[in-house]
Amino acid sequence: MNLVSKIFKEAIIQKENEYLKKNIKDKWRLNFHLMPPVGWLNDPNGLSYFKGIYNIFFQYSPFETEGGLKFWGHYQTKDLINYKYVGVSIYPDEKYDCHGVYSGSAFIEDDKLYIYYTGNVKLLGSHDYIESGREANTMLTVSEDGINFSEKECLMEMKDYPKDITNHIRDPKVWKENDSYYMVQGARKYGIDRNNDIGEVLIFSSKDKIKWTHTSTIHTKDIFGYMWECPDLFNLDGQDILITCPQGVKQIESIYENLYLSGYFLINDDYKNKESIEVSNFTVLDRGFDFYAPQTFLDENGNRVIIGWMSVPDTEDIHKNLTVEYGWQHCLTIPRELSFKNGILYQKPHRSLEKLREKKIFENKLSNNTLSENLINNDINSYEVIMDNIKTDKIKNFEIIISEGLGIKYKDNKFILEFVGDTGKTIGGGRNKRSAYLENLKNIRIMADTSSLELFINDGELAFTTRYYPLEYSFKILGEMNIIIYKLSSFKFNH
């Protein structure tokens, strides 16, 4: 640890301790989601299961609730239930990353944890920071214990990337196949003018994890956004899948509703031996308001798991997170298991989260056509709902009221999550409606925390994620189905 990182470490520990000493009565502090100790959190990074421990790093700005200089905060857990906050593990303390430790990934080999990330540098002067003024350096640091890291090494600078790429290239994700290593990075390619830049993903290959060569590019036939961030390429159930986050795609109701998207393409070409790979039919991963920059990893049993950032960038003028008044902002989603079938990527809560079920508070078969009484007590702020055997022939009457101002409906083959009325504007921080076409509604699973909601429809065929800030906690339903509700306990934290 150099002098710069030592100074940062002392300042961050002081900031975190000052916050804890205030003992703020924070009604929206989450029970089973990972949050920043103080300040700002965004992308999950370096997700990995290494030597019997899960490492969950995250973009962290401890000094500002609205973002700022980025570090990598670090949680560890053996079971995805009991967590230890390690502190900040990677600092912006070198000339190659002095303006931010940006997103990256973990690769495990020979009992070592290799961390690849983007070192961000912004130069002084008159720049647009797209064509000039920004340096995006591909960095490497290595750990043998998941806690202590080696000196950093800069593997690629701007001069090492393709010449048709702007200064926006970032977020390396690394894996190995046979005797070769591969890396994807998100990129913004020069267009005919600045309004027509082209999003794409670059693939690099290496024989030693150090020297990398650009070997292929993944793109669409027509421009689909000006920048593709946070790429992740993996094989699941026999299908190669590219997850990425396109920016600049035209918003279309019930299809592409968020300002920036997060979703996937199916890769049907041999990306290892083809220079240009054209993809199509982008599918959104989560249809809610708050899901972005996801990253996948393998759990201890070899299951493909995904965690996302529960927010979307640049939405400050659209909706706000009310936890800013308590000195923090944002969280990560729960870990979700992925599976691929019938051309669709399915998501469901990781099986470890079933251990959070403290007690069953309601179980019944509902069959009337009137709105039920409140099925939970107001003092229960974290709960799980499982609804199945939903009768589609009576679906015209299906409605859920999560709390006053927030509802769920299924109508005319459309699943709708909506903040309604003046109360909805308040508890949603300005959020309004998200929807998706759905031919048939079979079942719903809801994971509700103090200020977050994650919905999984039809065994995870669709997912909706949102932050919300209820005035009181309630759950009412109209429809015919089987329903179980569990009260959920909190993660256990060791700071």
Side-chain angles (χ1 to χ4, degrees):
M1 180 177 286
N2 62 28
L3 179 59
V4 175
S5 56
K6 288 180 180 178
I7 293 172
F8 275 138
K9 181 176 181 179
E10 291 177 2
I12 292 170
I13 290 175
Q14 180 178 348
K15 180 73 172 180
E16 292 172 347
N17 287 338
E18 288 175 353
Y19 182 81
L20 289 173
K21 288 178 182 178
K22 290 180 180 179
N23 194 26
I24 298 172
K25 294 183 179 179
D26 183 350
K27 61 183 177 181
W28 291 320
R29 194 165 189 86
L30 293 149
N31 289 326
F32 61 92
H33 289 79
L34 295 181
M35 301 168 36
V38 64
W40 164 284
L41 168 151
N42 58 294
D43 303 5
N45 293 146
L47 306 183
S48 53
Y49 183 71
F50 177 61
K51 294 186 176 180
I53 295 176
Y54 292 99
N55 291 281
I56 301 177
F57 301 90
F58 58 95
Q59 294 279 289
Y60 184 29
S61 295
F63 304 113
E64 301 288 341
T65 57
E66 303 291 346
L69 186 63
K70 298 294 194 304
F71 303 77
W72 272 26
H74 188 186
Y75 285 105
Q76 287 189 327
T77 175
K78 292 183 178 180
D79 56 7
L80 299 175
I81 297 294
N82 299 282
Y83 285 85
K84 176 183 179 181
Y85 175 59
V86 177
V88 169
S89 287
I90 305 180
Y91 298 82
D93 57 4
E94 301 276 359
K95 68 176 183 178
Y96 295 109
D97 64 7
C98 58
H99 295 127
V101 181
Y102 276 24
S103 290
S105 62
F107 174 74
I108 299 168
E109 189 172 58
D110 299 329
D111 287 331
K112 294 180 180 179
L113 186 69
Y114 293 80
I115 296 292
Y116 295 86
Y117 69 91
T118 298
N120 184 55
V121 179
K122 297 184 76 173
L123 305 177
L124 296 176
S126 179
H127 300 287
D128 66 357
Y129 298 103
I130 300 171
E131 188 171 353
S132 67
R134 181 188 295 271
E135 296 176 0
N137 303 305
T138 302
M139 305 293 292
L140 172 64
T141 182
V142 183
S143 177
E144 295 186 4
D145 60 5
I147 301 292
N148 301 291
F149 290 87
S150 68
E151 291 187 10
K152 300 169 182 177
E153 185 175 357
C154 181
L155 306 182
M156 287 189 282
E157 304 175 58
M158 293 308 304
K159 63 182 177 61
D160 301 310
Y161 307 127
K163 302 307 178 186
D164 60 352
I165 296 299
T166 70
N167 292 351
H168 281 235
I169 174 172
R170 52 185 174 266
D171 313 333
K173 180 71 186 290
V174 174
W175 72 99
K176 184 179 183 180
E177 288 188 41
N178 300 321
D179 61 347
S180 295
Y181 303 92
Y182 296 91
M183 172 194 293
V184 284
Q185 296 217 47
R188 178 174 184 166
K189 180 180 177 179
Y190 286 109
I192 57 175
D193 55 41
R194 190 75 326 115
N195 293 323
N196 288 280
D197 284 348
I198 303 164
E200 58 185 23
V201 166
L202 307 182
I203 301 180
F204 300 84
S205 64
S206 173
K207 290 295 184 181
D208 62 2
K209 302 188 289 292
I210 304 297
K211 297 178 181 179
W212 294 89
T213 302
H214 174 230
T215 55
S216 56
T217 300
I218 304 175
H219 59 92
T220 49
K221 181 179 180 180
D222 300 315
I223 296 177
F224 189 74
Y226 58 77
M227 171 70 193
W228 291 4
E229 289 192 304
C230 304
D232 191 344
L233 201 162
F234 55 90
N235 186 281
L236 181 61
D237 299 328
Q239 173 68 54
D240 289 327
I241 298 171
L242 171 69
I243 289 177
T244 190
C245 297
Q247 298 182 332
V249 177
K250 181 181 178 181
Q251 292 174 266
I252 304 173
E253 184 178 352
S254 301
I255 300 177
Y256 302 140
E257 293 195 313
N258 277 346
L259 180 63
Y260 297 147
L261 302 176
S262 180
Y264 61 94
F265 295 102
L266 304 183
I267 307 294
N268 296 316
D269 290 323
D270 183 2
Y271 61 82
K272 297 181 288 297
N273 297 298
K274 195 171 182 179
E275 293 183 5
S276 178
I277 301 164
E278 185 178 301
V279 292
S280 60
N281 298 324
F282 181 83
T283 303
V284 174
L285 266 169
D286 190 294
R287 303 287 181 159
F289 296 90
D290 297 288
F291 186 91
Y292 196 74
Q295 187 174 108
T296 74
F297 65 104
L298 298 179
D299 70 7
E300 58 189 303
N301 298 311
N303 300 304
R304 179 66 60 175
V305 179
I306 190 170
I307 295 176
W309 173 35
M310 201 178 288
S311 187
V312 172
D314 300 334
T315 58
E316 293 82 3
D317 295 334
I318 304 171
H319 51 72
K320 301 182 184 300
N321 296 300
L322 306 188
T323 60
V324 170
E325 67 180 88
Y326 295 116
W328 64 276
Q329 185 169 195
H330 303 311
C331 65
L332 300 182
T333 69
I334 59 172
R336 307 172 180 183
E337 292 184 36
L338 295 178
S339 60
F340 181 77
K341 56 185 177 181
N342 303 321
I344 298 172
L345 196 57
Y346 284 75
Q347 310 172 64
K348 65 179 181 180
H350 193 275
R351 63 195 69 185
S352 63
L353 300 182
E354 294 179 8
K355 298 175 185 176
L356 293 175
R357 294 172 180 170
E358 186 175 304
K359 63 178 181 179
K360 189 183 296 184
I361 58 176
F362 185 84
E363 181 176 13
N364 205 346
K365 179 178 181 179
L366 301 181
S367 59
N368 58 44
N369 287 316
T370 59
L371 193 66
S372 71
E373 61 182 9
N374 188 12
L375 301 183
I376 66 170
N377 296 324
N378 185 43
D379 60 345
I380 297 177
N381 58 18
S382 298
Y383 58 91
E384 177 184 6
V385 181
I386 299 174
M387 292 173 280
D388 61 15
N389 197 30
I390 298 174
K391 298 300 184 181
T392 56
D393 59 334
K394 299 181 180 179
I395 212 66
K396 293 179 181 179
N397 296 323
F398 183 84
E399 182 178 2
I400 300 173
I401 297 176
I402 298 294
S403 64
E404 184 183 355
L406 176 57
I408 295 168
K409 292 182 180 180
Y410 181 71
K411 184 178 181 181
D412 298 328
N413 292 330
K414 186 180 287 188
F415 189 93
I416 301 169
L417 172 69
E418 185 173 19
F419 292 90
V420 294
D422 291 338
T423 301
K425 291 178 182 179
T426 298
I427 72 170
R431 292 167 178 82
N432 44 46
K433 182 176 74 172
R434 288 292 180 265
S435 60
Y437 295 109
L438 184 65
E439 185 174 333
N440 192 11
L441 180 61
K442 302 175 183 176
N443 55 66
I444 304 174
R445 186 172 175 185
I446 300 174
M447 303 291 286
D449 206 342
T450 55
S451 58
S452 75
L453 191 71
E454 293 171 79
L455 312 177
F456 303 90
I457 299 97
N458 290 357
D459 301 314
E461 176 185 351
L462 289 179
F464 284 73
T465 296
T466 189
R467 300 299 305 280
Y468 80 127
Y469 307 95
L471 305 177
E472 62 179 18
Y473 295 94
S474 61
F475 189 89
K476 301 178 183 179
I477 192 163
L478 186 157
E480 182 170 341
M481 73 209 70
N482 299 328
I483 180 170
I484 300 175
I485 303 178
Y486 295 96
K487 179 182 178 183
L488 299 182
S489 59
S490 302
F491 282 162
K492 304 298 187 296
F493 287 97
N494 177 18
H495 288 269

